[in-house]
């Protein structure tokens, strides 16, 4: 499979890679370190060409992610911070999916791997090493790869889904995050002053918080976690909900 990021012949796997690159771009840096022998710290600014991402003279393709996800065991992925590879981890089991689908005991092994993934992601979020937004984007993209790769294996899909949050949620976090940010900026500019900028952003954050709660059926506290609301904004929002 040879498909460059941003190419016209897009696949679901390209879409997953592109989403992670756009929304959680810092996750690619450990992969670049591993693939091209770079030494990025993780806080560098990442620039993309219109249709490709270039690194060390080479074009980064979806092959890199699939190849890497198959090469590494789960512990090494977390040890080296290769979280970008997690949605593609299911490729490691591609040859065994039929077997797992027909054997509940063997399927348990795969489910245990995803229990570990969720526990590790939750711990990274608790430690502040990744945001709730990044965690949930990884989970959503994992669902997307699973739906495509295991489309013929209903038991496999059900088993992994049950571990990673049950029914696949709508991918609303991204749109709400961006909508609140852009609407707040527009309203603030309209007011023509810093206070207007802040208030415009806050009002839209409040509306988008309510929208997320309604669409995903979650509490205000969980919705604020997903949107990475600051402590200061959290206190004010709690007064208005």
């Amino acid at each position: 499979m040879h498909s460059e990021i941003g190419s016209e012949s897009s696949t679901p796997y390209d879409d997953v890679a592109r989403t992670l690159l756009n929304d959680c771009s810092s996750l690619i840096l450990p992969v670049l370190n591993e693939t091209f022998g770079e030494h990025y710290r993780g806080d560098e600014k990442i620039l993309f060409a219109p249709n490709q991402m270039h690194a060390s003279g080479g074009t980064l393709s979806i092959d890199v992610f699939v190849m890497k996800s198959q090469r590494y065991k789960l512990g090494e992925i977390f040890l080296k911070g290769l979280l970008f590879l997690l949605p593609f981890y299911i490729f490691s089991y591609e040859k065994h999916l039929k077997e797992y689908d027909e054997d509940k005991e063997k399927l348990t092994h795969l489910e245990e791997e995803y229990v570990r993934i969720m526990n590790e992601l939750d711990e990274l979020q608790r430690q502040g090493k990744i945001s709730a937004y990044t965690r949930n984007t990884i989970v959503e993209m994992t669902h997307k790869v699973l739906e495509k790769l295991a489309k013929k294996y209903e038991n496999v899909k059900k088993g992994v889904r049950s571990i990673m949050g049950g029914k696949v949620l709508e991918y609303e976090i991204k749109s709400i995050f961006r909508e609140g940010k852009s609407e707040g900026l527009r309203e603030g500019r309209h007011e023509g002053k810093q206070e207007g900028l802040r208030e415009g952003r806050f009002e839209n954050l409040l509306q988008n918080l309510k929208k997320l709660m309604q669409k995903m059926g979650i509490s205000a506290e969980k919705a604020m976690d997903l949107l990475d609301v600051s402590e200061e904004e959290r206190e004010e929002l709690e007064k208005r909900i």
Side-chain angles (χ1 to χ4, degrees), residues 153-164:
Y153 308 113
E154 199 60 36
N155 290 330
V156 170
K157 287 194 296 183
K158 286 180 180 178
V160 176
R161 279 181 194 154
S162 69
I163 303 302
M164 303 195 77

Side-chain angles (χ1 to χ4, degrees), residues 140-201:
E140 290 299 320
M141 293 305 100
T142 299
H143 278 303
K144 190 165 186 176
V145 173
L146 175 71
E147 287 297 312
K148 178 65 176 177
L149 192 66
K151 62 181 178 181
K152 296 180 180 179
Y153 308 113
E154 199 60 36
N155 290 330
V156 170
K157 287 194 296 183
K158 286 180 180 178
V160 176
R161 279 181 194 154
S162 69
I163 303 302
M164 303 195 77
K167 183 180 178 182
V168 180
L169 299 173
E170 295 180 57
Y171 189 42
E172 290 291 336
I173 302 169
K174 180 173 93 171
S175 59
I176 288 174
F177 179 82
R178 286 180 174 168
E179 181 182 339
K181 195 171 183 179
S182 60
E183 287 296 326
L185 286 172
R186 280 200 293 271
E187 291 196 12
R189 288 194 189 104
H190 182 70
E191 293 291 331
K193 55 185 179 181
Q194 188 64 30
E195 185 59 33
L197 181 67
R198 181 184 180 281
E199 187 61 25
R201 179 189 179 282

